[in-house]
Amino acid sequence: MKPILEIKNLSVDFKVNDKALRAVDDLSMTIYRGDIVGIIGESGSGKSTLASGILKTVRAPGKVSQGEIIYHTPDGEKVDLLKLSSKEYAKYRWTNITTVFQAAQNVLNPSLKIKEHFLETAWAHDNSLSDAEIMEKAKELMKSVRLEERVLESYPHQLSGGMKQRTIIALSLLLEPDLLILDEPTTALDVITQWYIIDILRKIHDKTNITMIFLTHDVSIIGSVVNRLAVMYAGQLVEYGDVESLFFDPTHPYTYGLMHAIPSLRDDMSKRRAIPGYPPNMLNLPHMCRFTPRCPIAQAGKCEGIKEKTDVMYNSKDSQFTRCYSWEKVKEL
Ligand SMILES: Nc1ncnc2c1ncn2[C@@H]1O[C@H](COP(=O)(O)OP(=O)(O)OP(=O)(O)O)[C@@H](O)[C@H]1O
Ligand SMILES: [Mg+2]
């Protein structure tokens, strides 16, 4: 397994009413080439902020206050993305690292035909392709997202939301990046279209082995496509490991709660339980483990939720890490 992205001690802060809000708190994780990693967490847990940290698009009042993000290029070079200037980063954007996000549909220029988006993207980043070659690739990519070639002649307003989202996925793959970051890529779409797009992405991965990072609050949609799963809670990474292990043998009570809250058409809905309570106020964090107020282990009197013990992560199983120091008690839930 070769790493593609090593995130080391990343923190991103916002200033809100003169108070510091640490949206991503000392997050470390390694993503391997060819992985499909899901990053899940409730609204406000810091997923999009993490994505903007990797993409170097954190804007004031936000700021990366510490950390390194080491990108391993296909040639084996190591680049700390955070040390690059915007101009230097631009060399990697689209050609190596690219993104599709929830509101992506708005990035299509209403006055340009879809094919012109492909041409302009290629012209802006790669002068080596002739226009005929670009169009050849565009056609092939449209096919891979199951859109007809004629869509290239359309304007964005002539497409449905799902078609626009698939167009953007095709566009993001034009320059053959090796890392694709998808922030809630399907959330605005109906469930059938969500599954359809996930299936398309899975096929693209089978064909190209592109590394993907999916950020979403909806684990039921991505569970079938990711091989690794990371769970965020109140700005912290709380668990990370193989998806099956996190589903069936979680070692953090929050992951346990999420897995038991997934609705499924097939099983007994009455057994599904939402996690009671809410995430903490990020401007006023409790001086204890951040999950304590909602934690079933703490409520059973089996853990004191000592903050200092949650400042590090524990290797609970083979390549599985948890922030819960009482992780052995998750089995008793
Ligand atoms: N521009 C900003 N200014 C101030 N605070 C911000 C800003 N952007 C994000 N935050 C704060 O950072 C925290 C993390 O937000 P983020 O958007 O990363 O969450 P998320 O996990 O992507 O949520 P969602 O599922 O709703 O997309 C939140 O507490 C949010 O209020
Ligand atoms: Mg978000």
Side-chain angles (χ1 to χ4, degrees):
M1 286 201 302
K2 283 195 184 142
I4 183 163
L5 206 63
E6 289 176 86
I7 306 172
K8 298 182 185 173
N9 307 103
L10 180 72
S11 292
V12 183
D13 292 332
F14 288 101
K15 221 176 196 154
V16 180
N17 302 334
D18 273 341
K19 282 184 94 173
L21 183 156
R22 183 148 282 192
V24 173
D25 189 3
D26 199 27
L27 186 142
S28 299
M29 68 191 284
T30 301
I31 291 163
Y32 295 92
R33 209 162 257 285
D35 266 353
I36 309 186
V37 178
I39 299 183
I40 57 169
E42 280 161 292
S43 182
S45 57
K47 305 178 296 292
S48 296
T49 307
L50 169 62
S52 45
I54 301 170
L55 294 159
K56 222 175 151 71
T57 53
V58 178
R59 300 270 172 270
K63 135 171 173 291
V64 173
S65 44
Q66 65 163 30
E68 286 173 30
I69 301 181
I70 313 290
Y71 167 62
H72 296 240
T73 71
D75 308 330
E77 203 188 326
K78 292 186 198 176
V79 185
D80 184 349
L81 297 177
L82 296 178
K83 291 220 172 80
L84 301 179
S85 67
S86 307
K87 207 171 153 202
E88 287 168 327
Y89 196 104
K91 279 193 283 189
Y92 296 94
R93 192 169 285 133
W94 288 92
T95 45
N96 294 72
I97 302 172
T98 176
T99 181
V100 172
F101 51 92
Q102 183 178 346
Q105 299 175 19
N106 306 328
V107 303
L108 294 173
N109 182 334
S111 62
L112 293 183
K113 285 186 176 176
I114 300 303
K115 69 172 182 192
E116 290 164 331
H117 287 83
F118 281 89
L119 288 166
E120 295 224 329
T121 304
W123 292 337
H125 298 274
D126 186 348
N127 315 326
S128 67
L129 293 172
S130 71
D131 289 3
E133 284 169 327
I134 299 166
M135 286 317 295
E136 241 355 271
K137 280 188 100 171
K139 285 178 195 165
E140 194 189 304
L141 285 165
M142 291 304 263
K143 215 160 94 192
S144 76
V145 297
R146 299 177 204 158
L147 285 171
E148 290 173 33
E149 240 179 81
R150 64 177 175 80
V151 174
L152 288 166
E153 297 295 334
S154 306
Y155 286 96
H157 75 267
Q158 296 172 306
L159 310 183
S160 72
M163 288 165 84
K164 277 190 237 175
Q165 202 66 337
R166 280 183 280 154
T167 300
I168 288 156
I169 292 170
L171 192 58
S172 72
L173 299 171
L174 178 65
L175 303 178
E176 297 173 12
D178 55 358
L179 178 62
L180 177 60
I181 298 174
L182 302 122
D183 188 1
E184 306 275 9
T186 64
T187 304
L189 306 169
D190 65 82
V191 176
I192 308 263
T193 312
Q194 291 190 10
W195 285 112
Y196 190 58
I197 289 182
I198 295 292
D199 189 49
I200 286 170
L201 288 165
R202 193 204 329 252
K203 298 262 159 55
I204 289 171
H205 180 265
D206 288 349
K207 210 166 128 198
T208 62
N209 203 36
I210 183 172
T211 308
M212 296 190 193
I213 304 177
F214 269 95
L215 301 113
T216 179
H217 63 274
D218 189 353
V219 63
S220 64
I221 292 290
I222 58 156
S224 64
V225 68
V226 301
N227 67 311
R228 305 266 293 160
L229 201 57
V231 181
M232 286 187 74
Y233 187 76
Q236 290 179 318
L237 180 67
V238 295
E239 189 160 17
Y240 184 37
D242 290 337
V243 65
E244 289 206 354
S245 187
L246 259 70
F247 261 102
F248 298 112
D249 197 9
T251 57
H252 194 288
Y254 181 60
T255 315
Y256 174 91
L258 285 179
M259 298 312 170
H260 283 79
I262 302 172
S264 150
L265 291 178
R266 259 172 290 148
D267 65 13
D268 181 358
M269 287 297 278
S270 63
K271 286 197 196 133
R272 299 283 138 198
R273 289 171 275 150
I275 304 170
Y278 300 97
N281 176 351
M282 295 295 287
L283 285 168
N284 193 8
L285 290 168
H287 196 81
M288 60 172 93
C289 158
R290 289 177 196 182
F291 191 58
T292 303
R294 302 170 79 184
C295 177
I297 301 175
Q299 273 151 24
K302 293 180 186 170
C303 180
E304 291 171 311
I306 297 166
K307 181 195 166 291
E308 287 68 24
K309 289 194 184 180
T310 63
D311 288 342
V312 291
M313 289 186 80
Y314 302 88
N315 194 185
S316 51
K317 290 206 294 187
D318 265 2
S319 69
Q320 188 163 335
F321 296 87
T322 177
R323 199 168 288 281
C324 176
Y325 63 90
S326 298
W327 59 268
E328 282 171 280
K329 297 186 181 127
V330 175
K331 281 192 188 56
E332 297 164 19
L333 293 173

